[in-house]
Amino acid sequence: MAKSKDVRVTVILECTSCARNVINKDSTGISRYITQKNRHNTPSRLELKKFCPSCYKHTIHGEIKK
């Protein structure tokens, strides 16, 4: 049998403000979350507002490639 493409895929969300400010000395690292999305309902890149422990505030986390 041929394996079909999964509708639900696992994606990684990364903090956009930490990724831009890698030089920041106060930051302990880049915040990343793992979640799932439905490929048919959201074909574009996913962006969610999540808490970043490195920035100590809620920031936008965008989908990155694996």
Side-chain angles (χ1 to χ4, degrees), residues 27-53:
S27 178
T28 57
I30 297 175
S31 172
R32 289 190 174 155
Y33 286 93
I34 298 174
T35 188
Q36 291 183 341
K37 77 169 187 176
N38 190 323
R39 198 180 295 178
H40 294 302
N41 294 340
T42 52
S44 60
R45 290 201 177 266
L46 188 65
E47 284 190 342
L48 296 175
K49 198 165 187 180
K50 304 285 257 175
F51 181 77
C52 178

Side-chain angles (χ1 to χ4, degrees), residues 45-64:
R45 290 201 177 266
L46 188 65
E47 284 190 342
L48 296 175
K49 198 165 187 180
K50 304 285 257 175
F51 181 77
C52 178
S54 301
C55 299
Y56 301 109
K57 59 184 176 181
H58 284 84
T59 58
I60 295 176
H61 285 64
E63 181 180 338
I64 60 168

